[in-house]
Amino acid sequence: MAVNGKIALVTGAAQGLGRGFCEILLKNGAKVALLDVNKEVGNDLKASLDKEFGPDHTLFLTCDVTSEDQLSDAYQKTLEKFGKIDIVCNNAGIANERDWEKAVAVNLVAVVRSTYLALQHMKKQNGGQGGLIVNIASMAGLGPLLTSPVYTATKHGVVGFSRALAEASEACDFGVRLKVLCPTFVRTAIISTLSSEEYMGLFSCLHGFTEQMIGMFGMLEVPQVAEAFLQLVVEEGKNGSVLMVTPEITSYVEFPKSPTDVLSGNPSPSAPGSSPQ
Ligand SMILES: NC(=O)C1=CN([C@@H]2O[C@H](COP(=O)(O)OP(=O)(O)OC[C@H]3O[C@@H](n4cnc5c(N)ncnc54)[C@H](O)[C@@H]3O)[C@@H](O)[C@H]2O)C=CC1
Ligand SMILES: CC/C=C\CC(=O)/C=C/C=C\C=C\C=C\[C@@H](O)[C@@H](O)C/C=C\CCC(=O)O
């Protein structure tokens, strides 16, 4: 999808990766609705972007994505301001294994809700022009991050939900594509929470393991991930694709055609249909 002239909505836009995604969209000619629960940082970002791109290219909306009313209202205000929504990036996310229900609410429930709101406004059957939804997961959406079981669950959920809905959207001819971004560690505020007692919850005994993982997978900078995000946005087709981003490589993930493709070669003798050993 060409970005120039498009209207985008980004959640968690005030800082970190969300800010990076907004800036690269604006640099490529889009107008962006910036949604974030942090009013102060969001207003500061809006003021900064107004200086660089002009006041009419962005709209900041204070929005807690876990609130159905606030999210729906933000979509409505975006449509009132810009007339349409072509791209949605569900980026807002937290890491918190102690208040894990909050993490589920932000990282998964809100992503589903925002995706469905986007679909409602974009799909051709509702008079929409189609569009693209990019959901931000993580490498922890592709494999278990043992320091963060609930975070892992939410990100696996984002990957599975987005891939399934992409297939459903194609089957229903909604005209809406879905894609997923799975970065490894990125130097943002979320990293600083990883060693905090609040984040670690049951797993404070694993402090130090995160440093090992960062050593193993490296640390990305926001601009690197923003470039990968732009690649996802501009690349035509690839509905349901999942893009992994590491310091060494940015590449699409190849999933097995069927879950049975990942079975080991030695079925249990008790397994139905298995031949006796
Ligand atoms: N930083 C990293 O290492 C990685 C981050 N991610 C994902 O990238 C996304 C962005 O994370 P970062 O930029 O790193 O974090 P960040 O903490 O720097 O930024 C997150 C933004 O989301 C906002 N936010 C949090 N809860 C919200 C809510 N309820 N409603 C609205 N906005 C809310 C925050 O105010 C903040 O502006 C998250 O989904 C995260 O899981 C994925 C892989 C790696
Ligand atoms: C908890 C949230 C922290 C930061 C945000 C974030 O999403 C960061 C994710 C970064 C990396 C996730 C890595 C997940 C790896 C899993 O696949 C593990 O199962 C891999 C474990 C070891 C791999 C061993 C090897 O590759 O040699």
Side-chain angles (χ1 to χ4, degrees):
M1 173 186 288
V3 176
N4 191 37
K6 294 299 190 300
I7 304 299
L9 179 150
V10 179
T11 70
Q15 65 183 44
L17 285 171
R19 174 169 181 162
F21 299 151
C22 293
E23 288 173 341
I24 204 164
L25 286 168
L26 287 160
K27 284 172 183 165
N28 284 272
K31 293 183 178 177
V32 186
L34 319 165
L35 276 54
D36 205 291
V37 69
N38 191 324
K39 186 175 183 178
E40 183 183 355
V41 176
N43 280 323
D44 289 348
L45 174 61
K46 165 68 176 165
S48 167
L49 295 176
D50 283 359
K51 288 182 184 138
E52 187 172 356
F53 300 100
D56 294 334
H57 286 236
T58 57
L59 169 68
F60 173 68
L61 297 165
T62 305
C63 171
D64 178 347
V65 293
T66 65
S67 161
E68 189 169 354
D69 289 344
Q70 290 186 39
L71 197 54
S72 181
D73 185 51
Y75 269 82
Q76 206 46 51
K77 286 191 166 75
T78 301
L79 289 163
E80 287 164 9
K81 166 84 176 173
F82 296 122
K84 61 171 182 168
I85 299 174
D86 300 298
I87 302 164
V88 166
C89 176
N90 290 308
N91 163 75
I94 63 171
N96 193 328
E97 296 297 318
R98 181 177 293 281
D99 188 353
W100 59 267
E101 290 182 64
K102 182 179 179 184
V104 173
V106 176
N107 297 6
L108 183 57
V109 176
V111 170
V112 172
R113 181 172 290 126
S114 180
T115 298
Y116 281 157
L117 278 169
L119 205 53
Q120 177 188 331
H121 294 292
M122 288 176 173
K123 72 180 187 180
K124 294 188 291 189
Q125 290 80 352
N126 285 359
Q129 302 166 37
L132 171 65
I133 301 166
V134 180
N135 288 333
I136 308 303
S138 160
M139 191 186 273
L142 301 170
L145 190 55
L146 90 170
T147 57
S148 322
V150 171
Y151 183 87
T152 296
T154 66
K155 295 303 184 177
H156 274 68
V158 169
V159 172
F161 165 73
S162 305
R163 293 181 66 219
L165 187 56
E167 290 192 19
S169 179
E170 194 156 334
C172 297
D173 192 27
F174 288 155
V176 179
R177 291 176 295 143
L178 288 100
K179 299 183 177 182
V180 187
L181 196 64
C182 291
T184 179
F185 295 104
V186 190
R187 200 181 310 280
T188 70
I190 211 170
I191 295 293
S192 62
T193 67
L194 302 189
S195 53
S196 73
E197 179 58 28
E198 177 191 1
Y199 158 72
M200 296 294 280
L202 286 176
F203 311 103
S204 51
C205 57
L206 293 177
H207 73 82
F209 191 91
T210 302
E211 283 67 29
Q212 286 180 38
M213 293 295 279
I214 292 173
M216 190 186 299
F217 291 103
M219 181 73 76
L220 290 156
E221 300 300 336
V222 168
Q224 291 173 284
V225 186
E227 285 296 336
F229 166 76
L230 184 66
Q231 175 186 335
L232 264 187
V233 171
V234 301
E235 220 154 23
E236 296 299 341
K238 290 197 176 294
N239 182 32
S241 59
V242 176
L243 189 65
M244 184 192 290
V245 192
T246 78
E248 288 75 38
I249 185 172
T250 294
S251 176
Y252 286 102
V253 177
E254 290 292 329
F255 291 91
K257 291 285 180 288
S258 157
T260 56
D261 293 347
V262 297
L263 292 176
S264 67
N266 308 304
S268 154
S270 62
S274 63
S275 55
Q277 296 302 319

